Amino acid sequence: MVNWIWLFFIVAGFAVAAVQGNVEAATQAVFEGAKSGVTVCFGLISILVFWLGIMRIAEDAGILRKLSAWLKPLVRFLFPSVPSNHPAIGYIMSNMSANIFGLGNAATPMGIKAMQELQKLNGDKELASPAMCTLLALNTSSVTLIPTTLIAIRMNYNSLNPAEIVGTTLLATLVSTAAAIIVDRWYRHRHRLNPTSKG
């Protein structure tokens, strides 16, 4: 569906440019956009490599284990249906840790692995389990201490203070995560009262 939406925008853009007799400007915009995309990607690679290296150092130093220990009670509260020794718990904590440090690209593989493990526990293979819905909500709204990717993008566009968004990002993600947890708990409660409901 998303592919069709993007195709519509591209075709509509060229159609409007053709009607206005300005196809050259549309073509130039396409190439400028491609050039800008490559430039941003190179900037993101450098900052992501740096932070992944920091994460590896933190892992070797035992900091990630300590963070995982702090997260475990929260994970047990949020995912009561998942056995404490199940592999999904480890992947969930890795996903949350990476998101906390703003490493969305590093968090994605862990989130996918967690979903695969949660699917093994899912009795209805055609319908997402409550644990899977909780993980999706948390992954989307995750608290972020250091918005690494956004800082990298701001650096690429020569921001005078790329890191000035740290405070507002932390506040925004705290609010979004709290909202996600509240809505998740409400839907879980609703599902327990009416298990046949699809909502």
Side-chain angles (χ1 to χ4, degrees), residues 4 14 22 44 52 79 91 96 102 110 116 121 127 130 132 161 175 178 182-185 188:
W4 287 107
F14 274 104
N22 206 7
L44 287 176
L52 286 172
F79 299 90
Y91 289 123
M96 291 175 69
M110 295 298 103
Q116 290 172 343
L121 297 172
L127 192 67
M132 294 170 79
N161 187 0
V175 172
I182 290 168
V183 172
D184 178 69
R185 294 292 102 178
R188 278 179 179 260

Side-chain angles (χ1 to χ4, degrees), residues 23-162:
V23 176
E24 183 181 338
T27 305
Q28 184 179 354
V30 168
F31 285 111
E32 286 296 323
K35 179 182 176 182
S36 178
V38 171
T39 303
V40 170
C41 284
F42 276 118
L44 287 176
I45 288 170
S46 61
I47 197 74
L48 284 172
V49 166
F50 171 75
W51 280 108
L52 286 172
I54 294 293
M55 287 280 283
R56 182 58 187 268
I57 292 169
E59 183 180 4
D60 292 343
I63 296 172
L64 289 186
R65 282 195 299 274
K66 188 67 88 172
L67 179 61
S68 293
W70 291 340
L71 288 174
K72 194 160 190 177
L74 177 62
V75 171
R76 295 301 309 129
F77 167 73
L78 294 172
F79 299 90
S81 61
V82 182
S84 59
N85 60 344
H86 196 274
I89 294 293
Y91 289 123
I92 290 168
M93 288 192 293
S94 296
N95 173 265
M96 291 175 69
S97 299
N99 274 323
I100 285 171
F101 289 108
L103 297 169
N105 291 339
T108 300
M110 295 298 103
I112 291 171
K113 290 293 292 182
M115 280 293 188
Q116 290 172 343
E117 292 296 331
L118 291 174
Q119 180 68 344
K120 294 176 184 177
L121 297 172
N122 189 7
D124 185 349
K125 302 302 181 185
E126 300 298 320
L127 192 67
S129 68
M132 294 170 79
C133 294
T134 300
L135 177 60
L136 182 61
L138 286 176
N139 187 63
T140 304
S141 66
S142 178
V143 171
T144 304
L145 295 178
I146 306 168
T148 308
T149 304
L150 288 177
I151 290 172
I153 292 171
R154 288 170 61 85
M155 287 173 65
N156 274 317
Y157 285 99
N158 302 315
S159 171
L160 294 177
N161 187 0

